[in-house]
Amino acid sequence: MTEKLWGGRFQKGTDKVVEDFHSSIRFDQRLYRQDIKGSIAHARMLGRQDIISLDDASAIVKCLEDILADIEAGIVEFDVSAEDIHMNLEKLLTERVGEVGKKLHTGRSRNDQVALDIRLYLRDEIEETSELLRDLLKTLLERAEENLETIMPGYTHLQKAQPITLAHHLMAYVQMFERDLSRLQDCARRMNLSPLGSGALAGTTFPLDREGVAEELAFDGITENSLDAVSDRDFAIEFCSSASLIMMHLSRFCEEIILWSSQEFSFIELDDAYATGSSMMPQKKNPDVAELIRGKTGRVYGSLMALLTVMKSLPLAYNKDMQEDKESLFDAIDTVKGCLTVFTPMIATMTVRKEQMKEGAKGGFTNATDVADYLVKKGLSFREAHEIVGKMVFLCLEKGLSLDELSLEDYQKCSPIFTEDIFDAIDVVRCVNDRQVPGGPAVQAVLSSIKKAQERLER
Ligand code: ARG
């Protein structure tokens, strides 16, 4: 029977099957850095507050620093029977420093300890994810600047609708990823309070300096209710929810990359380094990276659902169910970071086929609204104009022509209002650049939106 840190009231060892079942060291060892950081701050505070001697405190701190170095050097082996990272580290500490190590857990529980560790860990991960989003935004802005005049068809219902530019299309994603960034910052801000001092659920009788520990660990303050502090995983759920939205945006973009790189569209070509071939068909160049990101979106949604479901109906305060938070959270973090890491260079290196895009913008009567607007500007109501142009489209379909290919006589047969200038008014470039309304696709409007986004990014 292995000695348990909590073994005092037990007459018998844990069944081996149970030990493997409830041990979390396999996955929570990734919190070692945060756990040690928290323990060091706690030990120093215990010394300052005269709860343990200053000598004991510094012996503990020194030993924890050594353990950290050894873990990073890869020479520490964790022990499944010591359950989790918290008890593994405490066990190592006591083995190395002796009886003094047993004082570290004064005024602390694994319940406030794990709540602290996840917050510290997630704080760093949010910073890294945010950095990846910033890289992506930078790339999108660069590609938008290069493509301010790259005309392409805009779609609704995946049917050609009106001409836009690639810059305008890319800037739509800039808006989405900027919202994602602000959601992550928001999540980090709300989470950044120290739960240490909440104990198992009801605080502690020792005169802990909670504020001092919070300050040392760069928190903005302390949590206000000990029950809430140990049973709250809102922050993990908020992260997974933000991560789900990032993935949702990536998946929409990937879907378009997949369509655009098909022979039918041929709007873009992916760089060879971001595409793959087929083991059988020699001609193939597949957008696997984009497909994989689209597929991984499901995993992240899965993590969000798992966390929401684990937390559902749990009575206060800590329950062991909550140990199930980590694998889902870690998987969501790894997945979203992995996807962003490969998506950004894929976008940065893809070739845009400008001619092909412009050709695409011409078919499908994408300038029909502009014919109607022309009539409105000459005095018709929009509904009357809509009716006339609808009939003209029907005529074109019968003749197998586009709106620009109809003759002036054809136009005038439909309405005497048309004059020669109609042909200028429905040129796709003109159609885009007449849409100068803020938020629209005209070069100036998009340029101003790019500038604003660049300024926000630099802030
Ligand atoms: N490994 C546990 C977790 O991740 C740590 C807290 C355990 N606390 C307890 N009283 N069993 O949730």
Side-chain angles (χ1 to χ4, degrees), residues 417-435:
I417 297 177
F418 286 116
T419 51
E420 189 63 39
D421 59 351
I422 177 62
F423 295 105
D424 252 359
I426 61 171
D427 170 67
V428 279
V429 177
R430 171 89 185 269
C431 293
V432 168
N433 282 318
D434 278 356
R435 289 177 158 72

Side-chain angles (χ1 to χ4, degrees), residues 300-414:
V300 177
Y301 290 5
S303 293
L304 173 63
M305 278 305 132
L307 282 184
L308 283 167
T309 313
V310 164
M311 296 306 292
K312 175 182 176 293
S313 315
L314 284 188
L316 298 185
Y318 178 84
N319 299 272
K320 186 76 170 205
D321 314 45
M322 291 163 68
Q323 180 166 288
E324 285 292 306
D325 59 359
K326 282 166 222 59
E327 285 161 295
S328 295
L329 178 63
F330 295 163
D331 193 69
I333 292 170
D334 294 346
T335 306
V336 74
K337 281 170 63 185
C339 290
L340 285 169
T341 304
V342 63
F343 184 78
T344 299
M346 180 176 75
I347 297 299
T349 55
M350 72 185 187
T351 305
V352 174
R353 297 214 170 107
K354 298 189 183 188
E355 274 317 306
Q356 204 60 34
M357 283 194 168
K358 188 166 180 190
E359 253 343 279
K362 285 181 181 160
F365 306 102
T366 57
N367 48 7
T369 315
D370 300 85
V371 179
D373 288 354
Y374 172 97
L375 291 174
V376 171
K377 284 171 195 159
K378 298 214 169 176
L380 286 195
S381 74
F382 185 72
R383 274 295 149 240
E384 285 172 307
H386 190 287
E387 175 72 21
I388 291 169
V389 181
K391 293 213 165 87
M392 294 177 67
V393 168
F394 188 74
L395 183 73
C396 285
L397 286 170
E398 277 190 331
K399 295 192 170 190
L401 297 174
S402 69
L403 283 166
D404 349 50
E405 287 164 344
L406 287 180
S407 67
L408 186 58
E409 287 96 81
D410 285 334
Y411 269 96
Q412 286 170 340
K413 259 184 244 157
C414 299

Side-chain angles (χ1 to χ4, degrees), residues 72-354:
E72 310 236 275
I75 54 176
V76 171
E77 254 190 53
F78 293 116
D79 170 8
V80 174
S81 73
E83 238 176 275
D84 54 24
I85 185 63
H86 325 293
M87 292 206 293
N88 263 276
L89 288 171
E90 192 178 327
K91 186 165 157 269
L92 279 168
L93 173 71
T94 308
E95 276 163 14
R96 291 185 182 201
V97 81
E99 289 301 295
V100 171
K102 297 185 176 172
K103 297 185 181 180
L104 170 64
H105 214 49
T106 314
R108 190 176 70 167
S109 157
R110 274 185 296 154
N111 297 352
D112 54 355
Q113 193 177 352
V114 71
L116 175 89
D117 292 3
I118 306 175
R119 285 168 195 254
L120 288 173
Y121 178 76
L122 196 50
R123 194 169 72 184
D124 291 344
E125 293 296 334
I126 286 179
E127 207 21 72
E128 284 184 27
T129 312
S130 301
E131 214 33 56
L132 291 170
L133 277 175
R134 286 188 201 101
D135 290 343
L136 172 55
L137 286 167
K138 234 181 280 159
T139 295
L140 291 177
L141 289 170
E142 279 163 19
R143 301 245 53 183
E145 268 185 321
E146 292 160 24
N147 287 287
L148 274 167
E149 297 182 25
T150 307
I151 306 285
M152 66 175 275
Y155 297 84
T156 63
H157 314 270
L158 205 54
Q159 305 283 324
K160 287 183 189 181
Q162 291 176 341
I164 55 169
T165 64
L166 179 59
H168 191 53
H169 196 102
L170 295 173
M171 287 305 289
Y173 284 102
V174 165
Q175 298 298 316
M176 295 177 232
F177 293 120
E178 277 198 88
R179 288 197 294 274
D180 290 331
L181 191 56
S182 94
R183 265 186 285 271
L184 285 180
Q185 301 309 308
D186 189 44
C187 167
R189 186 182 50 76
R190 210 179 347 271
M191 178 184 67
N192 202 29
L193 299 173
S194 170
L196 271 194
S198 303
L201 74 159
T204 171
T205 54
F206 295 98
L208 303 189
D209 172 17
R210 293 193 60 200
E211 301 278 1
V213 172
E215 205 173 309
E216 177 167 344
L217 295 173
F219 282 107
D220 297 324
I222 58 172
T223 54
E224 269 199 35
N225 179 292
S226 61
L227 289 171
D228 175 52
V230 292
S231 60
D232 169 28
R233 292 293 182 273
D234 290 5
F235 46 86
I237 295 172
E238 282 186 37
F239 175 83
C240 286
S241 146
S242 307
S244 294
L245 283 167
I246 295 174
M247 293 304 299
M248 187 261 275
H249 295 147
L250 286 176
S251 78
R252 296 182 73 171
F253 208 156
C254 283
E255 172 70 10
E256 295 188 323
I257 296 295
I258 294 162
L259 283 172
W260 292 355
S261 61
S262 69
Q263 250 107 60
E264 287 73 7
F265 276 80
S266 292
F267 283 1
I268 57 157
E269 178 167 357
L270 291 173
D271 190 87
D272 279 0
Y274 294 91
T276 46
S278 154
S279 59
M280 188 186 201
M281 299 167 283
Q283 84 283 13
K284 294 282 285 213
K285 179 168 174 184
N286 295 327
D288 289 41
V289 172
E291 290 169 279
L292 204 48
I293 294 173
R294 190 176 60 179
K296 282 179 187 289
T297 305
R299 287 174 82 114
V300 177
Y301 290 5
S303 293
L304 173 63
M305 278 305 132
L307 282 184
L308 283 167
T309 313
V310 164
M311 296 306 292
K312 175 182 176 293
S313 315
L314 284 188
L316 298 185
Y318 178 84
N319 299 272
K320 186 76 170 205
D321 314 45
M322 291 163 68
Q323 180 166 288
E324 285 292 306
D325 59 359
K326 282 166 222 59
E327 285 161 295
S328 295
L329 178 63
F330 295 163
D331 193 69
I333 292 170
D334 294 346
T335 306
V336 74
K337 281 170 63 185
C339 290
L340 285 169
T341 304
V342 63
F343 184 78
T344 299
M346 180 176 75
I347 297 299
T349 55
M350 72 185 187
T351 305
V352 174
R353 297 214 170 107
K354 298 189 183 188

